[in-house]
């Protein structure tokens, strides 16, 4: 379908981010684990404030989709050489590294939505990044095997 591997990686990252957002919102609204959603955190990073209206929400959502598409492109370009093995393990490791870097930057620069969070929120966001990695690895492997 898509011949360009970088485009496939970006699309896989976007699809995986939708699953990650779904888990995060499920954890926030249904399970009440998360005190701050990814969209609120991204709004704080991008706009410098939590979302106050629907335009802020869409800016945060668009930023999250673009960022995760970019991460998907990086994943297929540098982490997974073409048709190599162990997609899932590398993708989960990649998701964990991204999660760690985001929380480290939040602590370093004292971003309030990433700096002061409960351990349950951190654990739930960790699960969200694991879901991102699993979906990213599965979609990338599926596209690579069907392209061959």
């Amino acid at each position: 379908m898509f011949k360009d591997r970088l485009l496939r990686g970006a699309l896989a990252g976007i699809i995986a981010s939708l699953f990650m957002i779904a888990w995060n919102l499920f954890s926030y609204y249904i399970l009440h684990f998360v005190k701050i959603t990814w969209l609120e955190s991204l709004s704080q990073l991008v706009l410098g404030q939590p979302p106050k209206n629907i335009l802020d929400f869409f800016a945060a959502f668009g930023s999250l989709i673009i960022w995760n598409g970019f991460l998907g492109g990086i994943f297929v370009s540098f982490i997974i050489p073409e048709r190599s093995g162990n997609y899932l393990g590398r993708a989960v490791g990649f998701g964990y590294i991204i999660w760690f870097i985001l929380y480290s930057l939040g602590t370093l620069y004292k971003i309030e939505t990433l700096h002061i969070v409960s351990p349950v929120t951190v654990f739930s966001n960790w699960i969200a990044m694991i879901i991102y990695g699993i979906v990213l690895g599965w979609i990338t492997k599926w596209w690579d095997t069907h392209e061959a």
Side-chain angles (χ1 to χ4, degrees):
M1 184 168 144
F2 298 107
K3 300 293 182 194
D4 185 21
R5 197 159 190 265
L6 185 63
L7 177 64
R8 288 194 318 240
L11 288 175
I14 289 169
I15 293 168
S17 71
L18 295 176
F19 281 91
M20 181 184 74
I21 290 170
W23 163 259
N24 189 253
L25 294 176
F26 175 76
S27 180
Y28 182 77
Y29 289 110
I30 305 296
L31 301 176
H32 302 291
F33 285 161
V34 177
K35 303 299 180 215
I36 297 170
T37 66
W38 275 104
L39 297 174
E40 291 172 335
S41 297
L42 258 293
S43 178
Q44 182 74 29
L45 283 171
V46 173
L47 303 171
Q49 64 186 7
K52 293 186 171 134
N53 54 30
I54 194 74
L55 189 59
D56 290 351
F57 172 78
F58 282 123
F61 182 75
S63 298
L64 184 65
I65 294 295
I66 291 169
W67 172 250
N68 285 331
F70 174 72
L71 289 177
I74 287 176
F75 177 73
V76 299
S77 297
F78 298 114
I79 309 297
I80 297 288
E82 197 150 343
R83 293 181 188 81
S84 69
N86 200 8
Y87 286 81
L88 199 57
R90 289 183 187 187
V92 169
F94 181 70
Y96 178 77
I97 289 169
I98 296 303
W99 170 83
F100 182 78
I101 289 171
L102 285 176
Y103 272 97
S104 298
L105 289 174
T107 302
L108 180 66
Y109 291 110
K110 294 183 179 31
I111 299 168
E112 76 179 58
T113 57
L114 293 175
H115 176 58
I116 304 171
V117 292
S118 68
V120 178
T121 301
V122 173
F123 184 69
S124 180
N125 289 341
W126 180 70
I127 290 172
M129 288 307 290
I130 296 292
I131 289 170
Y132 174 80
I134 288 171
V135 173
L136 179 68
W138 183 80
I139 291 173
T140 304
K141 181 176 175 111
W142 186 80
W143 264 335
D144 280 354
T145 55
H146 282 77
E147 187 64 32

